[in-house]
Amino acid sequence: SAKGRFATSVQGLECPVSFAEAVYAGAVPKEDPATFAATVAVFLNAKRRGGRDGGPVPAGLRAAEDACNRMGWFEPETAAYDVVRLWANGRTMCQVVFETGIAPGHACRLLQRLDQTLRSLADVRDFKDVATASSVLIRRGLPFCPSLHLR
């Protein structure tokens, strides 16, 4: 099916089938690159049913969570939503860490994995523009600095 082909074309997601379900349900907004990136991020570290952090679901994610609930397998990792929204809207790493409580290394790895996924989504015709714009928004600062330890 078209949904299945789409799910197999996206790299880096814990459960691409749940993401495809959310996309086809219209729960992944494509109008704002920051919101798009934050919504995609929750599917990077989706947890098996019953494993979510228990925090409140941000309003922008309710439709995506409903789509996941229909699948019954995974729950989106909602903590990633705030981290990516703040970063994509120009906050510094210090501000993101202070406002969300995430460890800096975890935030960096989340943003690096998200960038890889956004680049794979840029190959999908319907997401080319928003995925590219989202990647540009997040591809800055500490997470994307070359390592001083590798030569």
Side-chain angles (χ1 to χ4, degrees):
S1 71
K3 202 183 294 187
R5 283 189 298 279
F6 172 73
T8 60
S9 71
V10 182
Q11 299 172 1
L13 299 177
E14 190 69 36
C15 184
V17 175
S18 291
F19 180 68
E21 185 68 26
V23 166
Y24 276 78
V28 180
K30 295 190 277 185
E31 300 78 33
D32 174 42
T35 304
F36 178 78
T39 305
V40 172
V42 303
F43 292 94
L44 290 175
N45 294 319
K47 296 179 180 177
R48 292 212 176 273
R49 181 80 34 220
R52 196 165 66 76
D53 56 16
V57 177
L61 281 183
R62 288 201 183 103
E65 185 171 60
D66 289 345
C68 285
N69 287 336
R70 282 194 298 279
M71 294 302 297
W73 300 332
F74 286 83
E75 294 176 348
E77 178 58 67
T78 56
Y81 186 84
D82 292 330
V83 171
V84 174
R85 284 274 307 159
L86 291 169
W87 184 258
N89 282 309
R91 295 285 200 342
T92 66
M93 185 56 67
C94 287
Q95 290 170 322
V96 170
V97 168
F98 181 75
E99 291 181 40
T100 65
I102 192 171
H106 291 171
C108 289
R109 187 66 188 127
L110 168 68
L111 292 163
Q112 291 166 352
R113 286 187 63 207
L114 176 60
D115 186 56
Q116 291 172 333
T117 300
L118 290 171
R119 285 191 272 155
S120 78
L121 277 168
D123 293 335
V124 177
R125 182 174 40 97
D126 293 345
F127 294 100
K128 182 178 176 98
D129 294 338
V130 70
T132 301
S134 296
S135 182
V136 168
L137 279 179
I138 67 163
R139 201 167 172 69
R140 63 180 178 83
L142 181 63
F144 299 98
C145 288
S147 174
L148 297 176
H149 302 287
L150 299 176
R151 292 186 188 244

